[in-house]
Amino acid sequence: MIVTTKKLFAAAYGKYAIGAYNINNLEQTMGLFRGCIDSQAPFIIQISKGARSYTHKLMLEGLIRAADQVFPEAVFAVHLDHGDEASCIDCINSGFYSSVMIDASSNPFDKNIEITKRVVDAAHARGIVVEAELGMLGGVEEHVQVDEANALLTDPNQAREFVDRTGIDSLAVAIGTSHGAYKFSGTQGLHFDVLAEIQKRLPDFPLVMHGSSSVPQDEVERINAAGGKLLGAKGVDATQFKRAAELGVTKINIDTDGRLVWTRVHREYFRDHPEEFDLRPIGKLFMGEYAKFIAGKNEKLGSAGQLESVKKMLA
Ligand code: 13P
């Protein structure tokens, strides 16, 4: 069942966070649904601009509609990740997406508000909810590339005004994470002080944490042992998810860790089966590993086991 992120956030606020997972193909879609059913978790499917144009924008839509029938017990939102104004309007008009993110965060404050507000007006007219970003994460995400030197933490003093003037439904905050596999160095971590200040100014308002992959070291080591060349990388400590949830984070975005699962499975498989050329054995292996990965993340987010209570709330 497709629902808006707003409904999922109402159920989760202050208690746990909903996993928002980026998908690009059939195998990820199957693994995602299976993992969320296995762990009995509500979830958010994220489709980026790049994922929409990877084959054709209708392809992922078709896969998700089919998965909704294959897994009728699933409860999820379909969300455009890091849209610009044009892609947001396209998704709003598609009648398929329940939520869009407008990322105008690289603009000055007033311009960010102006663009975001236009998207909110168009989305709300069709019952679709909007996430927007204030502050700037470092790293690379689709068309958005921000050097660490230019990454900006969200200013808590601007957060209330931004929400009031745009009418958004959730706010993506920059509290020290970055996109991609290369996030933190040394002992750097999340800025819970900034998050607490934002929550004070926006009590009960759903916050979103991007760039939340953990980049597990054992995964990186396995990839490199199978021929990969990933440099030293460190991600978000997943034991911090619950603390973030208590401070108002209701959506946690994870993409890179899923890509690492894909890379590890494929590198190891072809290293160990050099004679193999069939797509399906490796596809099946990946779907199983991806489902396990998703279920494990949902445990850490606290969303595992919440499906029944969400369904009751929606009834
Ligand atoms: P990661 O690169 O940490 O997985 O973050 C993904 C993300 O924030 C997508 O919007």
Side-chain angles (χ1 to χ4, degrees), residues 22 81-82 141 179-180 183 210-213 253-256:
N22 291 70
D81 189 28
H82 290 284
E141 180 70 19
H179 292 117
K183 297 184 193 298
H210 282 242
S212 302
S213 280
N253 288 12
I254 297 168
D255 181 7
T256 298

Side-chain angles (χ1 to χ4, degrees), residues 4 23 26 41 70 91 118 151 174-176 194 218 230 232 256 263 279 294 297:
T4 61
I23 58 154
L26 163 70
V70 176
C91 289
R118 278 203 298 269
I175 55 166
V194 176
D218 54 336
L230 299 183
T256 298
T263 306
L279 288 80
I294 294 286
K297 286 285 182 202

Side-chain angles (χ1 to χ4, degrees), residues 52 80 84-102 118-130:
R52 291 183 90 220
L80 170 69
D84 54 16
E85 191 170 354
S87 54
C88 282
I89 299 297
D90 195 46
C91 289
I92 290 165
N93 291 336
S94 76
F96 179 63
Y97 289 72
S98 55
S99 167
V100 295
M101 177 199 187
I102 171 71
R118 278 203 298 269
V119 171
V120 169
D121 289 345
H124 285 182
R126 300 193 59 153
I128 293 161
V129 298
V130 179

Side-chain angles (χ1 to χ4, degrees), residues 204-243:
D204 298 326
F205 192 79
L207 304 175
V208 177
M209 204 164 88
H210 282 242
S212 302
S213 280
S214 299
V215 195
Q217 290 313 289
D218 54 336
E219 196 79 307
V220 173
E221 276 161 26
R222 282 176 72 175
I223 290 169
N224 287 345
K229 280 204 174 86
L230 299 183
L231 304 171
K234 191 179 154 207
V236 176
D237 176 355
T239 62
Q240 300 194 321
F241 288 166
K242 286 195 178 154
R243 182 156 171 228

Side-chain angles (χ1 to χ4, degrees), residues 2 12 37 49 60 78 98 107 112 119 147 181 199 233 239 244 278:
I2 301 180
I37 294 307
K49 264 180 73 183
L60 285 178
V78 181
S98 55
N107 292 282
N112 187 357
V119 171
D147 294 338
Q199 195 198 27
T239 62
D278 188 348

